[in-house]
Amino acid sequence: MAAYTNFHVLLHVASFASLLLTSCLALELETVPATFVFGDSLVDAGNNNYIRTIAKANFRPYGIDFPGGVGSTGRFYNGRTIVDIIGEEMGLKDYIPPYLAPTTVGDVVLRGVNYASGGAGILNDTGAIYVCN
């Protein structure tokens, strides 16, 4: 179990480092044409609200400090995720929408989407205990 835990932490560090590197490179551009996010609950923007799972964050206290007083957003945080913060720093006008949201269609997809899902992982069995039949 310790090896998996160390690997899991290393995976998150590597993901964050690549996101940070991509963001730093993008800051040199005048505009960022699109941003696509892959990950787990650390960066989930609400995809789990649209799938059959018990791993949801669409209730209080999740999202209570989100800008605009939106309340529960499906994010596994009380406010913005690191992707939201980096997006603001890159000059994005809107938060990157969850891929499964009904409003993520047409030109919205061309500006980027968030594919992250709470409970996601690299192993086939990761998150299996959260699936509702």
Side-chain angles (χ1 to χ4, degrees):
M1 186 69 168
Y4 174 73
T5 304
N6 291 339
F7 176 74
H8 192 248
V9 170
L10 180 62
L11 184 64
H12 284 299
V13 169
S15 297
F16 179 72
S18 65
L19 179 65
L20 189 59
L21 176 62
T22 304
S23 300
C24 290
L25 293 173
L27 285 173
E28 295 179 9
L29 303 173
E30 288 187 18
T31 60
V32 178
T35 302
F36 298 91
V37 180
F38 300 90
D40 58 9
S41 60
L42 295 174
V43 291
D44 186 351
N47 280 307
N48 280 19
N49 288 349
Y50 305 101
I51 59 177
R52 292 177 49 91
T53 179
I54 60 170
K56 293 191 185 283
N58 58 351
F59 54 89
R60 290 186 173 273
Y62 299 114
I64 60 172
D65 293 329
F66 195 76
V70 174
S72 299
T73 61
R75 288 167 170 80
F76 287 81
Y77 282 84
N78 65 326
R80 301 171 297 159
T81 66
I82 189 67
V83 171
D84 297 328
I85 294 167
I86 291 173
E88 288 174 1
E89 292 298 318
M90 290 189 317
L92 298 178
K93 295 179 179 90
D94 298 317
Y95 294 111
I96 303 165
Y99 173 71
L100 295 174
T103 55
T104 308
V105 293
D107 290 345
V108 173
V109 177
L110 299 177
R111 292 190 299 270
V113 293
N114 186 320
Y115 294 100
S117 176
I122 195 168
L123 303 174
N124 288 339
D125 292 335
T126 304
I129 62 170
Y130 301 116
V131 177
C132 297
N133 292 325

